[in-house]
Amino acid sequence: MVAEVAQQSSRATTQQVVRRTSRRVARLVANFERDLESARQARERRDPSRDLVRLALECRTDKWGTHRYAQHYQRHLEHLRNEPINLLEIGVGGYADPLKGGASLRMWKKFFPRAQIFGMDLHDKTALEEKRIRIFRGDQSDPNSLRLIAEQIGRLDVIIDDGSHRSPHVLTTFETLFPLLEPHGIYAIEDLQTSYWPEWLGSEDRNAPDTSMGMLKRLVDGLNYEEFVDEDYTPTYTDEHVVAAHFYHNLAILEKGVNAEGTRKKHILRSRYGG
């Protein structure tokens, strides 16, 4: 009897040791995996190919230097870096010279190693094509031209408007292409300073509704369309699909999704809505 009790006690002690050892091993493994992840992230931070500012300088694009866009793009596009996305940039650069331009396209190609990079320009820039870079000739002021190019590309995950910077063209391009952008896609508009310049089809009137900034200001209101008290208001496509708007100097970055978080206005505004 005494031997049996001792044997059971020994088994219980062994099981406790095994459990304690298992927990200790699990903690060691978790700590090891955490340290590995920290080391990987540190390597990535040191990797110049992950730094869009360095890539912009290397590729000699004006997204760093003339402008300060690269660090903002890094923040908003980093999560897509290793995804097989399609990126379209309107405006290749180099004006009418068929052999000049394409610096930004080459930067995007290096930053997104699995992406297909597409460019569009009013002038023929096909001489600048290379592996994973394809360039279309098109007119961003013509919806049919934009739709035809979008059809040839297929899925659109990121759209960057660095084209003519004329407000009518910017509005036409956004109205045509934003509905074709994938859910969770990113839409960027550059060089918004021209919105305030009449010489570039902008306006000195900062409240002008037909400028690039006028459109963007409406989009910000549209983010909160569910809070409008005008019961006859019908939400627009952008009201329901722009979920975030980020503004920087001369640059706007929009996120697409489903904007339907709901509202408590009828609960709060009881006098208006009858209790």
Side-chain angles (χ1 to χ4, degrees):
M1 181 69 176
V2 173
E4 184 179 343
V5 170
Q7 195 174 28
Q8 291 175 350
S9 177
S10 176
R11 282 199 299 268
T13 301
T14 301
Q15 290 172 352
Q16 290 173 354
V17 170
V18 169
R19 284 196 293 269
R20 283 198 298 269
T21 302
S22 297
R23 288 195 294 268
R24 189 175 299 116
V25 169
R27 284 196 298 271
L28 288 171
V29 170
N31 290 339
F32 179 69
E33 291 177 345
R34 184 190 61 207
D35 291 343
L36 277 180
E37 178 63 16
S38 297
R40 184 188 67 78
Q41 291 177 0
R43 285 196 303 272
E44 288 180 350
R45 286 193 294 270
R46 292 193 298 270
D47 183 358
S49 69
R50 296 194 70 87
D51 187 338
L52 200 52
V53 171
R54 292 187 186 184
L55 285 178
L57 289 169
E58 177 187 323
C59 296
R60 299 184 178 182
T61 168
D62 66 357
K63 286 178 172 45
W64 188 259
T66 304
H67 305 292
R68 292 289 189 272
Y69 299 155
Q71 81 275 27
H72 304 310
Y73 280 127
Q74 177 106 33
R75 179 183 307 163
H76 294 287
L77 297 177
E78 177 69 28
H79 68 290
L80 296 172
R81 187 176 185 275
N82 292 308
E83 300 299 323
I85 65 168
N86 287 344
L87 181 149
L88 168 63
E89 180 158 15
I90 297 163
V92 174
Y95 298 99
D97 190 328
L99 300 179
K100 288 186 178 180
S104 294
L105 301 181
R106 292 188 287 273
M107 178 192 74
W108 294 128
K109 176 182 174 180
K110 291 185 176 183
F111 187 71
F112 295 109
R114 300 179 63 201
Q116 297 299 317
I117 309 301
F118 299 92
M120 170 184 157
D121 202 274
L122 188 62
H123 305 287
D124 183 5
K125 298 287 181 175
T126 52
L128 302 174
E129 291 185 335
E130 57 186 68
K131 186 177 180 180
R132 291 200 297 115
I133 294 179
R134 183 180 178 187
I135 303 174
F136 299 95
R137 187 174 185 179
D139 181 356
Q140 75 169 128
S141 68
D142 180 359
N144 290 328
S145 179
L146 292 164
R147 280 192 286 266
L148 179 61
I149 289 171
E151 288 173 5
Q152 294 179 73
I153 294 172
R155 191 184 72 250
L156 289 168
D157 301 292
V158 178
I159 299 173
I160 299 169
D161 186 350
D162 187 18
S164 75
H165 310 306
R166 271 68 174 176
S167 285
H169 302 171
V170 172
L171 269 63
T172 295
T173 302
F174 180 77
E175 291 165 359
T176 305
L177 294 184
F178 184 77
L180 304 179
L181 184 66
E182 286 292 298
H184 310 297
I186 302 292
Y187 194 107
I189 303 174
E190 296 186 3
D191 295 354
L192 289 166
Q193 69 272 23
T194 61
S195 181
Y196 309 104
W197 299 347
E199 294 84 349
W200 285 62
L201 303 185
S203 175
E204 294 180 47
D205 179 4
R206 291 187 293 276
N207 294 314
D210 55 351
T211 65
S212 303
M213 283 303 304
M215 174 194 72
L216 289 165
K217 291 173 185 176
R218 288 194 297 277
L219 296 183
V220 174
D221 276 331
L223 280 168
N224 299 314
Y225 77 92
E226 290 178 299
E227 312 302 340
F228 297 172
V229 294
D230 178 2
E231 294 301 310
D232 295 327
Y233 182 78
T234 301
T236 65
Y237 182 86
T238 53
D239 289 343
E240 296 178 325
H241 292 91
V242 173
V243 296
H246 308 271
F247 291 88
Y248 307 96
H249 185 66
N250 296 334
L251 172 68
I253 298 178
L254 308 171
E255 298 179 31
K256 185 174 181 180
V258 177
N259 183 24
E261 294 185 13
T263 176
R264 296 183 67 245
K265 66 184 178 186
K266 291 187 177 181
H267 174 75
I268 297 171
L269 304 176
R270 293 180 179 180
S271 60
R272 174 183 289 272
Y273 292 103

